[in-house]
Amino acid sequence: MSAIRIDGKAVADTLLAEVGQDVAGLRQQGVHPALAVILVGDDPASDVYVRNKVQRAEAVGIRSLEYRLPANTSEAALLERVQALNGDASVHGILVQMPLPAHISEASVIQAIAPHKDVDGFHRENVGSLSLGQESLVPCTPAGCMRLLRTVLGEDGLKGLHAVVVGRSNIVGKPMAALLLQADCSVTVVHSRSRDAAALCRQADIMVAAVGRPAMIGADWVKPGAIVIDVGINRIATPEGKTRLIGDVDYPAVAPLAHAITPVPGGVGPMTIAGLLANTVKAARQQTGH
Ligand SMILES: Nc1nc2c(c(=O)[nH]1)N[C@@H](CN(C=O)c1ccc(C(=O)N[C@@H](CCC(=O)O)C(=O)O)cc1)CN2
Ligand SMILES: [Mg+2]
């Protein structure tokens, strides 16, 4: 039996429809949610993500402000832009597209965003609230993974399961582990220094792969019947001289033994932008008391 293919595009479309209704309701009450998106430099993938964020925001009725700054923008100039947006009460969400050019400290920029406008959920105040199980703006990709898991397992279906997160990045691995723990999973985080990573992964009822290494997770890493969430988005060359996207999971090898699995593309990726817009609405509500 082949696995359930978790359709992230369909789940994201449902979330976007909910966000659209929330935005319409807020606008009737005189609140127009607004998202500022800042891109520094001309990385082609970032350019596409930013364009998609702005288009999707507008499609659900969120006002978007787009700032495209040259690659040689100084850290001071970027911080100045962030401070100006922090002080603008008509802007509810601020997002700085990552990665930033090497001469700019991502950490400094993230900490400069007002926590209540930090719709990526990367600021230490939001990270701290998440790990304490308190209300916060949650990073969009891990929040999206949780929603996909609940579509398969139901609202309470994660309780007591063993979840293994592969990767310990600040933007996916760590917040993912915190969210799974909050859902009453037993959580293991596997990383590049873990001893016998494959054996740890084979214990997983739920596996979330977020390492950025194409097809690293093969069939011998996965317990039959596991639910596999693939966060990896790796662009690889094809023999025909083109490129294509693949995940961190070897999909053709793993799908036959998993209970459910996300494809790449069309799995976790679409949830990221939908989650961002949901966070923008949440931020607008919090800031306006609606
Ligand atoms: N400030 C941020 N920077 C980055 C984030 C983030 O959440 N906040 N995440 C990634 C990039 N990203 C959004 O910014 C992102 C990545 C992928 C997708 C997506 O929809 N992927 C599709 C495939 C798209 C394609 O064909 O290229 C999929 O997986 O189906 C959306 C958003 C790093 N930076
Ligand atoms: Mg993301």
Side-chain angles (χ1 to χ4, degrees), residues 147-288:
R147 192 163 171 128
L148 294 179
L149 284 168
R150 290 191 167 109
T151 65
V152 178
L153 289 163
E155 207 48 47
D156 284 335
L158 282 80
K159 281 186 198 304
L161 298 185
H162 183 189
V164 175
V165 179
V166 192
R168 54 175 162 176
S169 70
N170 289 342
I171 72 171
V172 183
K174 289 176 192 167
M176 191 71 230
L179 288 168
L180 288 162
L181 191 58
Q182 224 170 77
D184 293 326
C185 290
S186 304
V187 181
T188 301
V189 179
V190 166
H191 49 78
S192 54
R193 309 301 281 268
S194 294
R195 265 187 292 126
D196 208 348
L200 291 169
C201 287
R202 275 196 302 274
Q203 296 172 21
D205 302 310
I206 294 169
M207 187 199 298
V208 180
V211 274
R213 291 185 56 187
M216 186 188 97
I217 310 284
D220 52 337
W221 290 57
V222 179
K223 177 164 85 175
I227 300 172
V228 179
I229 304 291
D230 190 352
V231 182
I233 299 178
N234 308 289
R235 191 165 287 283
I236 61 161
T238 66
E240 301 80 41
K242 297 187 173 159
T243 65
R244 71 184 179 96
L245 291 184
I246 68 165
D248 293 343
V249 176
D250 182 349
Y251 188 97
V254 169
L257 61 126
H259 169 60
I261 183 167
T262 59
V264 176
V268 173
M271 296 301 292
T272 297
I273 294 178
L276 168 73
L277 302 180
N279 273 351
T280 303
V281 168
K282 185 174 178 181
R285 282 193 196 289
Q286 284 169 350
Q287 285 160 51
T288 59

Side-chain angles (χ1 to χ4, degrees), residues 7 17 35 52 91 111 132 136 163 169 198 217 281:
D7 186 347
L35 170 68
N52 285 342
V91 171
Q111 300 318 321
L132 293 171
S136 64
S169 70
I217 310 284
V281 168

Side-chain angles (χ1 to χ4, degrees), residues 22-255:
D22 289 347
V23 172
L26 281 169
R27 290 179 70 170
Q28 275 177 354
Q29 297 170 70
V31 176
H32 195 169
L35 170 68
V37 181
I38 306 176
L39 172 62
V40 184
D42 40 28
D43 175 70
S46 294
D47 175 73
V48 172
Y49 297 141
V50 164
R51 210 168 338 121
N52 285 342
K53 286 174 186 186
V54 167
Q55 276 173 4
R56 297 274 152 72
E58 282 165 6
V60 296
I62 291 175
R63 183 169 78 92
S64 71
L65 298 85
E66 192 178 344
Y67 299 91
R68 289 174 172 266
L69 310 179
N72 64 359
T73 300
S74 68
E75 183 174 309
L78 177 57
L79 292 175
E80 220 169 277
R81 166 56 55 204
V82 169
Q83 296 298 356
L85 292 165
N86 283 344
D88 181 343
S90 73
V91 171
H92 307 99
I94 302 171
L95 173 142
V96 179
Q97 186 65 29
M98 303 295 168
L100 286 167
H103 67 278
I104 300 179
S105 156
E106 292 184 351
S108 303
V109 173
I110 289 166
Q111 300 318 321
I113 298 171
H116 58 286
K117 296 192 179 188
D118 167 38
V119 281
D120 264 327
F122 295 163
H123 190 282
R124 64 167 74 90
E125 191 169 306
N126 287 314
V127 173
S129 297
L130 173 61
S131 63
L132 293 171
Q134 294 168 354
E135 185 61 30
S136 64
L137 290 165
V138 175
C140 312
T141 301
C145 294
M146 292 303 288
R147 192 163 171 128
L148 294 179
L149 284 168
R150 290 191 167 109
T151 65
V152 178
L153 289 163
E155 207 48 47
D156 284 335
L158 282 80
K159 281 186 198 304
L161 298 185
H162 183 189
V164 175
V165 179
V166 192
R168 54 175 162 176
S169 70
N170 289 342
I171 72 171
V172 183
K174 289 176 192 167
M176 191 71 230
L179 288 168
L180 288 162
L181 191 58
Q182 224 170 77
D184 293 326
C185 290
S186 304
V187 181
T188 301
V189 179
V190 166
H191 49 78
S192 54
R193 309 301 281 268
S194 294
R195 265 187 292 126
D196 208 348
L200 291 169
C201 287
R202 275 196 302 274
Q203 296 172 21
D205 302 310
I206 294 169
M207 187 199 298
V208 180
V211 274
R213 291 185 56 187
M216 186 188 97
I217 310 284
D220 52 337
W221 290 57
V222 179
K223 177 164 85 175
I227 300 172
V228 179
I229 304 291
D230 190 352
V231 182
I233 299 178
N234 308 289
R235 191 165 287 283
I236 61 161
T238 66
E240 301 80 41
K242 297 187 173 159
T243 65
R244 71 184 179 96
L245 291 184
I246 68 165
D248 293 343
V249 176
D250 182 349
Y251 188 97
V254 169

